[in-house]
Amino acid sequence: MTACAGRPPLLMYHAVGTVAEDPFDLYVTPQRFAEQMAALAALGLRGVSMAELGDAAARGSTAGLVGITFDDGYHEVLTHALPELRRHGFGATFYAVTGLLGGVNAWDPPPRRELMTADDLRMLAGEGYEIGSHTVTHARLAGCDPAVLRREVSASRRALADLLGKPPRTFCYPYGSVDGAAVRAVREAGYAYACAVNRAPGLADTYARPRVGVTDRDFGARLAAKLFLRGR
Ligand SMILES: [Zn+2]
């Protein structure tokens, strides 16, 4: 059995940094993140974006690839994760909440965390990193009003297209909240792939791809085990 048996792994990160309290388990410390990237490299894996992983899967050639995603666009990721991605030559996808660029994570209770600006996203895209949509307001999409759903999916796509000169190819459901209507809206808006959190029964992987949540407790060997044992 290899790390790439079956569906290739797609990792889910939120923030990378050091905080006193982390009630939502969003943080991986910079040291742990560096260890995790080194562990992936030692396994012979190369980090890629969600779009690259999706394209590789469509061609049936995902051997040696691991998808890396960062939800919400936390600014600290630029300081603490980006240098490690660069060091290993890894790609990744950063999912931005387009209505809150340069703001804070207003959807969560305090403490507030700074989010990337439009310029930060342009810088990342300029380096070849993928920028994907994580809606306009970090809305919970399953069961939501159809007009709200359309706006969250389509207006965020337009905003990123205006900002980066081309529309984003992938979408990420906030809270992993997805249903059939959300999948249809994402597909009809023109996205190629979308990721959720957990496996969504009845929904195809292309638009509801489950991910492996990575936490600060995943030291290198444990992260490797998570990849190897995925789905068993
Ligand atoms: Zn999120």
Side-chain angles (χ1 to χ4, degrees):
M1 172 161 192
T2 73
C4 296
R7 186 195 298 112
L10 178 61
L11 305 184
M12 175 179 67
Y13 285 96
H14 285 83
V16 178
T18 306
V19 286
E21 284 181 46
D22 182 18
F24 300 103
D25 219 0
L26 295 179
Y27 274 80
V28 173
T29 60
Q31 185 193 350
R32 183 71 79 209
F33 185 78
E35 275 173 38
Q36 291 169 344
M37 295 302 104
L40 296 178
L43 286 169
L45 296 172
R46 179 170 65 88
V48 297
S49 67
M50 169 79 191
E52 186 174 344
L53 195 72
D55 290 347
R59 289 192 306 270
S61 60
T62 56
L65 303 183
V66 55
I68 302 177
T69 63
F70 295 89
D71 287 15
D72 304 341
Y74 293 105
H75 192 270
E76 293 145 294
V77 167
L78 299 177
T79 310
H80 300 302
L82 185 57
E84 293 303 318
L85 295 174
R86 287 174 178 148
R87 181 192 316 279
H88 294 286
F90 285 177
T93 303
F94 297 86
Y95 284 112
V97 180
T98 61
L100 293 169
L101 299 183
V104 295
N105 56 332
W107 62 87
D108 275 335
R112 300 289 178 218
R113 308 288 178 205
E114 263 183 61
L115 301 177
M116 292 183 205
T117 64
D119 280 345
D120 293 330
L121 298 185
R122 281 193 206 97
M123 179 273 291
L124 287 170
E127 285 196 33
Y129 291 99
E130 183 189 19
I131 309 300
S133 166
H134 200 37
T135 73
V136 179
T137 67
H138 204 270
R140 197 177 288 277
L141 296 185
C144 93
D145 176 83
V148 172
L149 173 61
R150 256 196 319 279
R151 174 171 177 274
E152 292 286 347
V153 169
S154 299
S156 61
R157 183 172 163 85
R158 273 197 305 280
L160 290 179
D162 289 347
L163 198 74
L164 304 171
K166 57 180 183 184
R169 296 190 63 214
T170 73
F171 182 89
C172 175
Y173 305 94
Y175 311 101
S177 169
V178 55
D179 60 10
V183 165
R184 270 194 304 283
V186 166
R187 194 181 57 225
E188 287 168 11
Y191 295 96
Y193 311 109
C195 51
V197 176
N198 298 314
R199 167 165 292 287
L203 300 179
D205 267 15
T206 308
Y207 286 104
R209 180 71 153 70
R211 292 180 289 173
V212 177
V214 186
T215 74
D216 196 55
R217 295 179 298 282
D218 295 320
F219 56 91
R222 181 169 146 160
L223 177 62
K226 249 186 176 176
L227 299 183
F228 279 100
L229 298 175
R230 207 163 28 91
R232 293 183 78 191

